[in-house]
Amino acid sequence: MSKKLENKVFLITGAASGMGKATVTKFEAEGAYIVAVDRNTSVIEVWDGHDQITPLIADVTKLDDIKNMAKTVKETYGHLDGVCNIAGINDLSYPLLETDDERWDNVMNIDLKAPFRILREMMPLMIENGGGSIVNIGSYAALRGNHGPSYTAAKAGLEGLTRSIAFSFAKNNIRCNIVHPGGCATNLTLGGQKYHEAQASLSNLIKAMPVKSFGQPEEIANICAFLCSDEATWINGAVISVDGGMSAC
């Protein structure tokens, strides 16, 4: 049987751990070639020896690094079939009155400005290729108001960016969709010193839901692979919740 992403080339960020690592693993299994990006130097060790994967250390908040991503794709593979913007951070549920400019800017730069810049640099490669597929990773937070304002605003903004790109580049055979994970068992969700009062409120809300609290990174990887495949050619501008039903509660 043919693999659904065979001989396609993708750029995937956040590739050293969590959802990014799971997505690279899934795409590799489906026959894709991947430029696997992470600012953590461990990305080299994680993907060393994988013939289909080119690991690249890069900071998605630095424009020179993003330009180097495009250069690496072009020089290594010659074309680009899609992008998965997975790298991101959480605001640790810090509420408005405890959110300073530094926290706001840091979340916005990684969760919203970086995907915008990455897609601006990668779009010419996909246009030249005759089309492509983009998956942005949002969050359940974009659909509800129970996270901190910086994270909620960034992910809601990413949804708007997704729709704009879907509309503007459909004529170029480029699709752009966003996936909103619920709680996912990754370091992003489980690690860090959260703002206790706000986090307690969110935890109590989640406990009251008739669904499991956490999904697995592989469950996000599966939908990314589907959206980037030819099985999803009629899906563009979609907002897809992958949260076990959390957003329906």
Side-chain angles (χ1 to χ4, degrees), residues 12 14 50 78 91 94 105 122 124 134 153 160 170 190 192 195 197 199 215 222 225 227 237 239 245 248:
I12 300 176
H50 291 251
D91 63 9
Y94 272 67
D105 290 344
M122 302 302 160
I134 299 159
L190 302 178
Y195 191 85
E197 183 179 350
Q199 186 62 27
N222 290 339
L227 290 171
V239 179

Side-chain angles (χ1 to χ4, degrees), residues 36-124:
V37 176
D38 204 292
R39 66 181 178 183
N40 193 321
T41 58
S42 67
V43 70
I44 302 297
E45 299 173 9
V46 169
W47 300 115
D48 182 44
H50 291 251
D51 293 339
Q52 294 167 224
I53 300 170
T54 301
L56 180 65
I57 301 169
D59 185 339
V60 298
T61 68
K62 295 181 179 179
L63 185 56
D64 285 346
D65 283 15
I66 293 173
K67 290 181 179 294
N68 189 48
M69 292 179 205
K71 180 181 178 182
T72 300
V73 170
K74 183 71 173 179
E75 291 181 351
T76 306
Y77 299 111
H79 72 280
L80 183 65
D81 293 284
V83 176
C84 292
N85 279 309
I86 301 178
I89 60 169
N90 198 306
D91 63 9
L92 304 180
S93 297
Y94 272 67
L96 177 67
L97 298 183
E98 302 297 332
T99 299
D100 57 20
D101 285 3
E102 182 180 3
R103 183 177 298 276
W104 175 274
D105 290 344
N106 194 29
V107 173
M108 286 292 171
N109 285 340
I110 295 175
D111 290 355
L112 182 55
K113 189 174 183 179
F116 154 70
R117 283 172 145 186
I118 289 169
L119 296 179
R120 187 176 61 187
E121 294 299 321
M122 302 302 160
M123 195 63 71

Side-chain angles (χ1 to χ4, degrees), residues 14 44 56-57 112 120-121 130 137 159 181 193 202 240 243 247:
I44 302 297
L56 180 65
I57 301 169
L112 182 55
R120 187 176 61 187
E121 294 299 321
I137 296 298
E159 185 176 312
Q193 184 62 43
L202 178 59
I240 302 174
D243 59 9
S247 55

